[in-house]
């Protein structure tokens, strides 16, 4: 029997946790990337060159790196990135002065192009997209396998973003319908938890202790937008 990939093992593990399993696996890879980056790759020339292309990470991943509280690592990388930004200022001014007599505004788009790249080409976002794709392929491929199927059915299910990705990617309509049916059940259970949560806010029932439904309002948000980034 072919041995399972790490992503496959992480995914099976993520089915047993709260929230969307794909979000959980992506989160695991992202945290590991940022950890390695701060502890080993801060001074790596190839990582530096890669990061200059986008002036670092996108907003979400830059703040996630800050949350890891490694001030020294961040200070080294962001000093380098600020210097890169200054070089870009110089290049822009040089170009602008040379072609000033030509069409006005011709150079506007060339000011700090890296900032525009940031939202599209952030290396952590790229990694996340690869992991998402991997997980989606794994779910489609293994859904017929009884123990994998059982794990999926007993999980909180996918967030709607990852459900959409999966449905759009799948070319097997039997699998697509089975997954939509599983997710319909998940959403109906969540709606009933939300209704129970609201009922217990009525003064007539407010003496009743909260049960499983206590965090349903947070799970409802996560179902639609996916996991909180950190
Ligand atoms: Zn998700
Ligand atoms: Zn990012």
């Amino acid at each position: 029997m072919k041995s399972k990939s790490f992503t496959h093992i992480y995914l099976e593990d993520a089915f047993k946790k709260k929230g969307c399993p794909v979000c959980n696996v992506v989160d695991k890879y992202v945290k590991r990337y940022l950890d390695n980056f701060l502890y080993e790759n801060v001074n790596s020339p190839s990582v530096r060159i890669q990061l200059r292309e986008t002036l670092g990470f996108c907003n979400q991943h830059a703040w996630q790196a800050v949350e890891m509280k490694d001030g020294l690592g961040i200070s080294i990388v962001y000093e380098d990135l600020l210097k890169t930004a200054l070089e870009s200022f110089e290049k822009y001014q040089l170009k602008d002065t040379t072609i000033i007599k030509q069409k006005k505004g011709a150079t506007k788009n060339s000011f700090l192009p890296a900032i525009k790249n940031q939202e599209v080409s952030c290396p952590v976002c790229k990694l996340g997209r690869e992991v998402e794709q991997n997980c989606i392929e794994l779910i489609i491929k293994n859904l017929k396998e009884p123990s994998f199927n059982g794990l999926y059915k007993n999980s909180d299910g996918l967030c709607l973003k990852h459900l959409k990705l999966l449905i759009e990617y799948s070319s097997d309509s039997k699998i697509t319908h089975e997954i939509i049916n599983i997710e319909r059940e998940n959403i109906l259970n969540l709606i009933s938890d939300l209704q129970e949560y609201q009922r217990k806010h009525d003064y007539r029932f407010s003496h009743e202790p909260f049960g499983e439904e206590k965090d349903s309002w947070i799970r409802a948000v996560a179902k639609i937008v996916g996991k909180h980034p950190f």
Side-chain angles (χ1 to χ4, degrees), residues 14 19 45 54 60 63 65 67 72 82 88 94-95 106 119 136 141 154 176 184 191 194 205 215-216:
T54 49
Q60 178 193 316
W63 287 115
E67 284 293 310
L72 182 62
L82 287 172
S88 184
L94 208 67
K95 225 198 250 171
E119 295 302 324
I136 279 162
K141 207 169 127 204
N154 286 316
T176 307
R184 180 184 292 110
I191 290 173
L194 288 170
F205 312 109
D215 62 352
S216 57

Side-chain angles (χ1 to χ4, degrees), residues 72-101:
L72 182 62
I74 298 278
S75 83
I76 294 168
V77 176
Y78 277 76
E79 181 194 353
D80 184 70
L81 295 177
L82 287 172
K83 285 178 179 166
T84 308
L86 287 181
E87 281 169 24
S88 184
F89 285 12
E90 271 170 43
K91 275 189 208 154
Y92 176 80
Q93 283 180 319
L94 208 67
K95 225 198 250 171
D96 204 38
T97 326
T98 347
I99 60 163
I100 200 130
K101 288 189 190 92

Side-chain angles (χ1 to χ4, degrees), residues 1-221:
M1 207 174 99
K2 210 171 156 252
S3 62
K4 289 176 187 171
S5 66
F6 280 120
T7 309
H8 191 156
I9 295 165
Y10 296 156
L11 188 60
E12 291 194 343
D13 199 39
F15 280 134
K16 297 169 200 155
K17 294 180 181 160
K18 274 195 171 223
C20 166
V22 177
C23 283
N24 275 324
V25 176
V26 170
D27 186 54
K28 191 178 177 82
Y29 274 94
V30 164
K31 283 196 174 125
R32 200 168 63 184
Y33 175 99
L34 291 174
D35 238 7
N36 282 344
F37 165 72
L38 288 168
Y39 293 104
E40 289 167 31
N41 295 328
V42 158
N43 290 310
S44 145
S46 62
V47 172
R48 283 278 179 91
I49 291 167
Q50 192 195 13
L51 283 181
R52 284 178 194 147
E53 297 285 314
T54 49
L55 283 180
F57 307 126
C58 69
N59 180 297
Q60 178 193 316
H61 291 126
W63 287 115
Q64 193 169 355
V66 167
E67 284 293 310
M68 295 176 113
K69 310 277 181 219
D70 180 359
L72 182 62
I74 298 278
S75 83
I76 294 168
V77 176
Y78 277 76
E79 181 194 353
D80 184 70
L81 295 177
L82 287 172
K83 285 178 179 166
T84 308
L86 287 181
E87 281 169 24
S88 184
F89 285 12
E90 271 170 43
K91 275 189 208 154
Y92 176 80
Q93 283 180 319
L94 208 67
K95 225 198 250 171
D96 204 38
T97 326
T98 347
I99 60 163
I100 200 130
K101 288 189 190 92
Q102 297 170 17
K103 220 167 119 198
K104 219 174 178 305
T107 55
K108 288 276 182 275
N109 289 336
S110 63
F111 185 65
L112 283 179
I115 290 293
K116 207 172 175 185
N117 286 346
Q118 225 169 39
E119 295 302 324
V120 188
S121 311
C122 158
V124 192
C125 286
K126 271 188 176 170
L127 169 76
R129 287 193 290 268
E130 280 167 28
V131 175
E132 275 171 352
Q133 186 58 30
N134 248 326
C135 289
I136 279 162
E137 285 172 26
L138 279 164
I139 294 173
I140 292 170
K141 207 169 127 204
N142 292 287
L143 196 70
K144 288 190 189 112
E145 202 260 305
S147 83
F148 190 93
N149 191 290
L151 283 172
Y152 183 5
K153 279 190 178 145
N154 286 316
S155 76
D156 284 348
L158 303 174
C159 68
L160 295 190
K161 175 190 155 188
H162 287 131
L163 176 63
K164 181 174 165 60
L165 270 181
L166 187 146
I167 299 300
E168 285 172 355
Y169 180 77
S170 169
S171 54
D172 181 333
S173 71
K174 218 172 148 207
I175 286 188
T176 307
H177 285 289
E178 182 172 356
I179 287 178
I180 291 179
N181 287 338
I182 296 173
E183 296 300 346
R184 180 184 292 110
E185 275 306 301
N186 276 330
I187 291 179
L188 288 172
N189 287 336
L190 186 49
I191 290 173
S192 110
D193 278 355
L194 288 170
Q195 289 168 348
E196 179 64 359
Y197 179 80
Q198 290 159 21
R199 190 186 69 83
K200 284 182 182 166
H201 277 75
D202 185 316
Y203 74 97
R204 288 169 297 171
F205 312 109
S206 59
H207 61 281
E208 292 180 28
F210 281 103
E212 284 225 319
E213 74 289 348
K214 65 177 184 301
D215 62 352
S216 57
W217 55 289
I218 299 171
R219 285 188 279 125
V221 173

